[in-house]
Amino acid sequence: MSNTTRTLIASALTLGLALSSSAAFAKDPAAKSPPTSTHPATHADRHDSNEPVTDTWITTKVKADLLASSNVPGTEIKVETVNGVVSLSGAVATQAEKDKAVTTAKGIKGVTRVDAAALKVSAAAKR
């Protein structure tokens, strides 16, 4: 997959994530005032923008960042998140790619730990 294609896929995922979660991150100055008949309660009134990120958000963000990285085969790495713990699985060509994938995942907000035990360096690269 070319870098341009990977960048486009990552951008599309990031845009979709941003659009789907914009209400959770929106800062509405009017939200501090109580709802009135002219200003009914909104999602922003009921939820603070500092809510913790979800496992789904973390998984999507890690996957998008892996796809956008030029030196990690993001399409070859499976990402799962449970309670902030990111599990990476699949196969990469080099130890450097594995290390970069782990570093990328650790840099995402909400990640508490990264388990890369199931992310293998291919046998051909070990020779």
Side-chain angles (χ1 to χ4, degrees), residues 4-5 16 37 43 58 64 67 78 88 95 105 116-117 121:
T4 303
T5 304
S37 59
H43 180 78
I58 292 170
L67 287 168
K78 183 177 179 184
L88 303 175
Q95 184 64 41
V121 176

Side-chain angles (χ1 to χ4, degrees), residues 24-112:
F25 297 107
K27 211 52 167 159
D28 182 6
K32 299 232 185 268
S33 62
T36 63
S37 59
T38 59
H39 178 71
T42 64
H43 180 78
D45 290 332
R46 295 184 302 272
H47 299 285
D48 187 1
S49 64
N50 293 325
E51 290 181 15
V53 295
T54 66
D55 286 344
T56 303
W57 184 89
I58 292 170
T59 298
T60 303
K61 181 67 173 142
V62 169
K63 191 66 175 176
D65 283 11
L66 290 174
L67 287 168
S69 180
S70 61
N71 52 353
V72 176
T75 58
E76 303 299 319
I77 300 173
K78 183 177 179 184
V79 180
E80 293 181 351
T81 308
V82 177
N83 297 325
V85 177
V86 174
S87 297
L88 303 175
S89 60
V92 292
T94 66
Q95 184 64 41
E97 288 179 351
K98 180 177 180 177
D99 294 344
K100 178 66 176 174
V102 171
T103 301
T104 298
K106 284 182 178 179
I108 303 301
K109 178 183 176 182
V111 173
T112 58

